[in-house]
Every structure is written in C-alpha cells, then in structure tokens.
Amino acid sequence: HLQLLDMNRNLEKKVKARTKEVTLANKELQTLDSIVATIHQELRFDRLLEVVIHEAMTLFPDADQAAYWKLEKEEAAYRLIASRCGEDEVRAHHDEDSESLSVADMKQCFINKNTQIIHHIYMLDGEQLSGSGQSILTHAKSALCMAMILEHEMVGVLILASDKIEDAFASTHASTLERFRTHVISALSKSSLVDLLESHVDELEDISVTDQLTGLRNRHYLYKHIDSDISNVIKKRQALI
C-alpha cells in the first residue's frame, strides 16, 4: 500500500512537471508565432533590423543585449550596424562609430564548429566571449549567435548575450531557434529583393529621362518637371532658368 502511494506521488510530480513543460512550450510557440508575423510586416532593411532585434529580445528574455553584424563585401569584414542594450531603443551604428570584424575573425570568435549547437546556430560561454575583443560583449557570460545565410553566403550574424546568466539560452528548444532564424532569413531576403527592385526602378526612371547620345535630360524630363517648375516660379516670383 505504501509503495502504491509513493508511485502515485511520483506520478503526480511527473505529470505536473510535464504539464508545466508543455505549458511553457506552448507559450513559447505562441510568442514565436506573434514575433514571426511582426517580422514579416517589415520590408525596409533598417526598420526590419530594429524589429528583429527587439523581437529577439522578447523571445529570449534572459538576453541583456543584442547586435546585428552585416557583411561588407568590399571590406571583407562584418560591421556592427544595429544593437540594443537592456530596455534602450535599438541603436543604429554608422560607419564612423561602428565596430568591425574580419570574416576570418568572425568565424574564429563566434561561428565555429566548437560552439555549434544546431546548424548555423552557436552558443558561447563567458570565457569564449572574453577573447572576442568586442566591447559590446565585454561583460557577457553567455551568448547565442545565429548565422544568416542567403544564397550560400553568410550575409549577417545576429548575436544575443546575457550579462548575468551563464546558460541563458541552453533551455531554448532547438526547433524554436531554427524557426526564428529561418523566418529572419526569409524577411531579410524579401527586404533585399525590395531594395533591388527599387534600385532597378530608379535606374529605369533615370534612363527614361536621359538622352543616350548626349547624356542630357530629354523631353520626358521636361514634361515631368515643367508643371512643378512653373508653379515654383510663380510662387517665388523668380525667372524660369
């Protein structure tokens, strides 16, 4: 009889533990679904990065900071272009104030087989991070790195770090990590296509208003701007030059 009671107690504990685990997993999936929907609403690259970093820190609440490094092909390096610390807003880094890592250093410090937990996702401890030489990770005790691969090229790296917890990302399900990364890549791909289309539209528009022989503006340019130019002349009472 006592053995049966012990078995029932143990079973109840296991059921409670499993129920809690499933509840947390479902909550994580609901959060991820919401995050995925939010990410896919953005097409502009700079705005997309803000959303990705903000939502990543929502999905991984133990992260104290996040950063996105973008591949600059001409420099053969990854440049820090956006970051966030704590509750601060996402900060855009411009060339004059951004850190950079050579492609070789990025792979040595963050993206290597020794730290890979699943395909293109890596986990680092404080000792590994201290050797990176990056000021944004100076006090980090653990980090999660996601390589963003487009057309067989690592176009960027998203890094999340915790300043307080040594295994901050260890309990996250592999499927959650992979799904989040996959949707970020999909959003980056769409953003890249939008940028490419806009670039082509601008080129075509410039060609349409330029004489190919002389390089001067043609009559289509005149028709496009004459009304606004005349309105400005009348408004400012200036001569039409």
Side-chain angles (χ1 to χ4, degrees):
H1 182 69
L2 291 175
Q3 283 184 328
L4 186 60
L5 286 174
D6 286 340
M7 288 177 62
N8 284 335
R9 289 193 191 99
N10 289 333
L11 184 59
E12 285 178 4
K13 287 180 181 178
K14 288 180 180 179
V15 169
K16 286 181 180 178
R18 181 57 181 162
T19 301
K20 184 178 180 181
E21 185 179 325
V22 171
T23 301
L24 289 173
N26 287 336
K27 185 178 180 181
E28 191 175 81
L29 284 173
Q30 289 173 356
T31 302
L32 183 56
D33 287 341
S34 174
I35 286 171
V36 165
T38 303
I39 287 174
H40 280 287
Q41 290 175 3
E42 299 298 337
L43 293 176
R44 299 288 179 183
F45 181 71
D46 53 349
R47 175 59 186 153
L48 174 60
L49 280 189
E50 288 184 25
V51 172
V52 166
I53 288 176
H54 182 275
E55 297 302 327
M57 292 184 73
T58 299
L59 183 61
F60 307 104
D62 289 329
D64 298 301
Q65 51 186 319
Y68 188 86
W69 301 72
K70 180 176 178 287
L71 175 65
E72 301 291 352
K73 292 184 181 180
E74 295 83 4
E75 303 173 20
Y78 289 90
R79 186 169 291 280
L80 177 63
I81 61 171
S83 67
R84 183 187 180 196
C85 293
E87 298 298 322
D88 295 344
E89 294 296 321
V90 176
R91 175 190 172 197
H93 295 259
H94 303 288
D95 289 346
E96 61 271 12
D97 68 346
S98 67
E99 300 178 36
S100 65
L101 269 176
S102 69
V103 172
D105 285 343
M106 175 62 79
K107 291 180 178 179
Q108 181 180 349
C109 293
F110 301 110
I111 311 299
N112 62 71
K113 292 180 179 179
N114 296 329
T115 60
Q116 183 169 270
I117 53 172
I118 53 177
H119 200 44
H120 297 309
I121 299 179
Y122 309 80
M123 201 172 293
L124 292 82
D125 58 29
E127 185 177 347
Q128 292 165 322
L129 292 168
S130 63
S132 68
Q134 299 306 304
S135 61
I136 196 170
L137 298 171
T138 301
H139 304 295
K141 292 187 176 180
S142 60
L144 182 69
C145 307
M146 298 184 183
M148 303 301 165
I149 311 296
L150 279 177
E151 298 180 357
H152 309 291
E153 185 173 48
M154 189 168 75
V155 297
V157 179
L158 175 65
I159 300 177
L160 298 159
S162 173
D163 297 338
K164 306 178 186 71
I165 305 172
E166 293 182 355
D167 56 351
F169 311 99
S171 62
T172 306
H173 289 275
S175 59
T176 299
L177 295 171
E178 183 54 39
R179 188 179 171 204
F180 177 76
R181 174 183 166 273
T182 298
H183 282 285
V184 171
I185 290 173
S186 175
L188 288 171
S189 178
K190 287 194 296 185
S191 174
S192 177
L193 286 173
V194 169
D195 288 344
L196 183 62
L197 285 171
E198 287 185 345
S199 174
H200 286 332
V201 168
D202 290 341
E203 288 178 11
L204 289 172
E205 184 176 350
D206 189 62
I207 289 172
S208 71
V209 296
T210 304
D211 182 84
Q212 299 302 300
L213 181 62
T214 63
L216 300 175
R217 297 303 188 188
N218 58 23
R219 60 188 176 87
H220 298 295
Y221 181 87
L222 176 65
Y223 295 154
K224 183 177 180 180
H225 293 280
I226 188 64
D227 289 338
S228 60
D229 285 349
I230 290 174
S231 296
N232 286 333
V233 167
I234 294 172
K235 184 178 180 180
K236 297 179 181 179
R237 299 181 180 181
Q238 296 176 343
L240 181 60
I241 299 175

